[in-house]
Structures are given as structure tokens and as C-alpha cells.
């Protein structure tokens, strides 16, 4: 599978280059040249497969031949070995037709572990293969940073730098990041909001010469490898539910990564009907869908800091699927 940018000026990119990329050079986000449809998988037999097996089946076409089957099996195993449940996530019945998908059984209790543990293992194997070392920089509203620190601590050939907004993350998250002893990890507290942290990261990435020189790498939810890691739990959850029933997912949303993974899961044939955006006071997406205008408001500090975001980066990917024209996407994003 080859990748291109949502803004159309970069194309023919292989997974190994997408894996280590943040934004595309034209400012867009990477997406498959053609997103596969339901013909790719036999989702009906997923009900007999384990989480790890579904991960291998679902992610393989997106990865292509960069990892061979045995390698990828080992990557999945290493990524999910330290989860506290064999199913990796648990589907709990709340009432008839109302279920809760528990995504907090990873090492840092955030759903971010699903993607972060996976890409850390992918990076490790890939870097050995291409004999390279990288510098990762990531902005966090709390959970991503903690998950990244846990996933990348003490890995070879990788330095991790995390920026978090001062006083806007929980005390537990702060400690998860700042009390890990690993020489390859540096944490910065920034006077500002998550969007300010994100802007700093984006600014550094926009210096293409510097980024190349230090092999700067992104692991924010705009990283495509994170998205496809998250597609797996939608496929897994759906496979545990009566296939006669269409499933709606209601998804707490910030940067639009998690819900976009649900959208990809739906596209590739998972039995999903509606995807419902849940927001807090920072409701840029709700406003966009009700008014048709995507515009920034101030960032409100709430009890769900991972959703205290006014710029939902992955939303551009949805625009790509809606407009099907990179020029329109670029124009809309600039406006
Ligand atoms: C990351 C996160 C979100 C937001 O997810 P996005 O993929 O950014 O939309 C919501 N809730 C929690 C607890 C999170 O960790």
C-alpha cells in the first residue's frame, strides 16, 4: 500500500517513511492512496480470533512487506504482553444493547497504550533494519506523553522529548512522565495550552532541513501507524457482538484520532453504523458539524484534559474522504 498527503503534493510514499513521519512536507497528513474496502478482510471470522491475531490481519495490508509475518507477530506480542488482560480490551455489558469498551488495561491506563506500545516496537525493529537512530518529539495533553514514556523508555536508537502544558495535566500523568528513570527521555513543561505545545512541535517540524538532520519523528495521533493500531480494537469489539446488529460507537474526542480510527474500521468492513463524537466544553467538532464552520475558540480547562483541544488535527483526514480533492482540502484548511 502506498501513501499520499491529504494536500496532494506528496505521493507514492512507502509505509516505512510514513511510520517515521509527522506531517507530510506540504503540511498535510498521510493517508493511503486508496483506502481498502470490505473486500480486503473476512471480518466474519474475526469472532474466533484473538486480539493479537486480529491486529496482525488488519494491520498487515497497511504495513505491506516492510515487516515479514514472523517479525510482525513478534512486534504485536511484545507490544501487548504487558497488558493486564488477555483480551487486551474488555467489552462490558452495561444494559441490553449498551456496552462499554474498556481500553484502560495497558501499562499507563490510557487507550494511548494500544498505539504507542505498537509503534515503539515497530520503530525498534525498523531502526535496527535501516541502521538509524531517531529523535521523537511529541506534544501531549497528558495521556499521550505518559504512554510514550512507558513505550519508549530505554529503547535503543531512540530519544524521546515530550512537551506538556504546565498545570493542565493531572498529577498522576505528570508523575507518569517525570518520574521514569530513562536516559533517552526528556520532559518539558510549557507555559501554555496543549495547542501551544502542538504549535511548537509543528513549527519545529516545518523546519525541514533541521528535521532531516536530526531524524525528527512524530508520534502524535497524526502518525498513521497509531491510527491503524487503533482500528484494531473497533474490529475486535465488533467481532464480539452479534453480527446481525449494527453498532454505534460513542467516542470521547480531542484530536480526532480515535474516532477517525473508527471511521477507517467502518470503511474496511466492520459492522459500524454511527460514530458519535463526545466532546467537553472544547467543542470545536460539535460546532463544526452543527454550523458547518471549523473555527477556533479559546481552550477551556476541564476535568478531561485529553479533550482540551481546539484544533483537531486528524479532522483533515475526514475532510479528505469527504471532498476527495486535495486542492479543496488545502483551500479549506487554509481558510
Ligand atoms: C487521547 C484521549 C482522548 C482524545 O482522543 P483523540 O484521539 O485525540 O480524539 C480522549 N480521552 C482520553 C482519556 C484520551 O486519552
Amino acid at each position: 500500500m502506498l501513501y499520499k498527503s491529504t494536500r496532494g503534493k506528496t505521493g507514492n510514499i512507502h509505509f516505512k517513511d510514513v511510520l517515521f513521519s509527522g506531517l507530510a512536507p506540504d503540511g498535510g497528513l498521510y493517508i493511503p492512496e486508496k483506502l481498502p474496502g470490505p473486500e480486503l478482510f473476512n471480518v466474519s471470522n474475526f469472532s474466533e480470533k484473538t486480539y493479537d491475531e486480529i491486529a496482525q490481519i488488519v494491520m498487515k495490508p497497511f504495513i505491506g512487506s516492510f515487516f515479514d509475518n514472523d517479525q510482525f507477530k513478534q512486534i504485536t506480542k511484545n507490544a501487548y504482553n504487558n497488558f493486564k488482560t488477555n483480551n487486551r480490551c474488555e467489552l462490558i455489558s452495561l444494559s441490553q444493547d449498551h456496552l462499554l469498551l474498556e481500553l484502560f488495561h495497558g501499562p499507563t491506563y490510557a487507550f494511548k497504550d494500544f498505539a504507542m506500545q505498537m509503534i515503539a516496537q515497530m520503530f525498534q525493529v525498523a531502526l535496527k533494519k535501516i541502521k538509524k537512530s531517531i529523535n521523537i518529539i511529541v506534544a501531549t495533553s497528558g495521556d499521550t506523553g505518559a504512554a510514550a514514556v512507558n513505550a519508549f523508555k530505554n529503547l535503543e536508537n531512540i530519544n524521546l522529548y515530550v512537551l506538556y502544558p504546565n498545570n493542565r495535566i493531572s498529577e498522576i500523568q505528570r508523575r507518569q512522565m517525570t518520574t521514569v528513570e530513562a536516559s533517552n527521555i526528556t520532559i518539558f513543561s510549557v507555559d501554555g495550552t496543549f495547542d501551544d505545545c502542538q504549535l511548537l512541535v509543528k513549527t519545529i517540524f516545518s523546519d525541514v532541513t533541521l528535521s532531516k538532520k536530526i531524524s525528527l519523528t512524530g508520534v502524535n495521533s497524526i502518525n498513521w501507524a497509531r491510527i491503524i493500531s487503533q482500528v484494531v480494537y473497533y474490529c475486535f469489539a465488533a467481532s464480539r457482538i452479534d453480527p446481525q446488529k449494527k453498532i454505534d460507537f460513542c467516542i470521547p474526542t480531542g484530536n480526532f484520532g480515535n474516532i477517525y480510527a473508527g471511521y477507517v474500521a467502518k470503511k474496511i468492513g466492520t459492522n459500524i453504523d454511527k460514530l458519535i463524537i463526545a466532546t467537553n466544553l472544547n467543542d470545536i467538532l460539535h460546532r463544526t458539524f452543527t454550523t458547518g464552520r471549523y473555527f477556533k475558540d479559546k481552550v477551556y480547562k476541564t476535568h478531561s484534559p485529553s479533550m482540551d483541544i481546539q484544533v483537531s488535527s486528524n479532522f483533515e483526514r475526514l475532510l479528505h474522504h469527504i471532498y476527495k480533492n486535495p486542492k479543496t482540502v488545502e483551500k479549506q484548511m487554509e481558510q
Side-chain angles (χ1 to χ4, degrees), residues 109-112 141-144 173 221 226-227 230 233 251-260 278 285 304-307 309 312 314:
Y109 312 103
F111 75 74
K112 305 293 191 295
S141 50
D143 284 346
T144 298
Q173 290 168 326
S221 66
R226 271 187 64 180
I227 302 282
Q230 290 176 240
Y233 51 71
I251 303 152
T253 302
N255 222 0
F256 208 75
N258 198 4
I259 194 163
Y260 177 73
L285 291 165
S304 44
S306 298
M307 297 159 71
I309 291 173
S312 291
N314 278 293

Side-chain angles (χ1 to χ4, degrees), residues 16 19-20 66-67 75 121-132:
K16 83 168 171 36
L19 175 63
F20 290 111
F66 186 54
F67 301 117
I75 286 171
Q121 294 305 319
M122 285 200 246
F123 279 11
Q124 182 86 325
V125 176
L127 289 170
K128 233 177 232 153
K129 208 157 143 165
I130 58 181
K131 297 189 175 59
K132 222 178 113 171

